[in-house]
Amino acid sequence: MTQFISLWHEIDDLAPRALYAMLKLRMDVFIVEQNCAFAEIDGKDIGAFHLRILDGEELAACLRVLPPEKDTPVKIGRVVVAPNYRGYKLGQRLMQEAVDFAQARFPGLPVELGGQSHLQKFYGSFGFVAISEEYLEDNIPHIDMRLDPKR
């Protein structure tokens, strides 16, 4: 049976091969699989917290949490599960760990994400609600969603 481990890192704490694997997975899925030409390396990884889920040494899934800047909310993004690991419910694990991390690290602040529209129900299962109309980003329908802080 596969045993997954979760690790949080800031970018400077990632070994070069771990950083390479994370960026490669994101590019393989977001650019190649989804056929989108966009600047995947956008400069935001530098200040982000990165969650990686590993199967031994192999990267199975990852995401990033962007800390708030001034009056902005915490943002979750780049949520991705490797094709070979789909079906293990790693997306749920990623999101639950990210929500828990964001609420513990930045208590009282809302958490937002811009997700693909077909995943609205999935993100809604964590308490996120739509805060925008559907829009096209890189030719894929997206919607902005927010999780308000626990009161």
Side-chain angles (χ1 to χ4, degrees), residues 26 38-46 64 66 78:
R26 288 175 13 185
F38 75 106
E40 206 297 318
I41 299 174
D42 60 3
K44 295 179 182 176
D45 288 310
I46 301 298
R64 71 182 182 190
L66 301 175
R78 299 299 202 264

Side-chain angles (χ1 to χ4, degrees), residues 88-105:
Y88 288 92
K89 299 192 180 288
L90 294 179
Q92 288 92 331
R93 181 169 170 172
L94 278 171
M95 285 303 300
Q96 190 60 61
E97 290 191 35
V99 166
D100 292 346
F101 176 87
Q103 290 178 334
R105 183 93 182 204

Side-chain angles (χ1 to χ4, degrees), residues 5-127:
I5 62 164
S6 300
L7 300 169
W8 282 97
H9 298 281
E10 292 183 55
I11 196 105
D12 291 337
D13 299 329
L14 286 167
R17 288 180 190 266
L19 177 60
Y20 174 86
M22 184 178 71
L23 295 175
K24 182 177 185 324
L25 173 59
R26 288 175 13 185
M27 286 186 223
D28 285 350
V29 171
F30 298 136
I31 295 172
V32 177
E33 180 181 314
Q34 296 181 357
N35 195 28
C36 292
F38 75 106
E40 206 297 318
I41 299 174
D42 60 3
K44 295 179 182 176
D45 288 310
I46 301 298
F49 298 95
H50 300 273
L51 172 58
R52 298 180 308 129
I53 297 180
L54 302 175
D55 177 15
E57 296 291 316
E58 189 171 351
L59 180 63
C62 62
L63 61 66
R64 71 182 182 190
V65 173
L66 301 175
E69 296 177 3
K70 298 181 184 176
D71 294 328
T72 66
V74 180
K75 293 193 178 172
I76 295 174
R78 299 299 202 264
V79 181
V80 62
V81 176
N84 293 346
Y85 289 98
R86 293 178 187 156
Y88 288 92
K89 299 192 180 288
L90 294 179
Q92 288 92 331
R93 181 169 170 172
L94 278 171
M95 285 303 300
Q96 190 60 61
E97 290 191 35
V99 166
D100 292 346
F101 176 87
Q103 290 178 334
R105 183 93 182 204
F106 307 105
L109 294 180
V111 181
E112 290 185 358
L113 58 84
Q116 293 182 13
S117 296
H118 74 276
L119 295 170
Q120 184 173 350
K121 185 176 177 183
F122 169 73
Y123 292 125
S125 72
F126 298 95

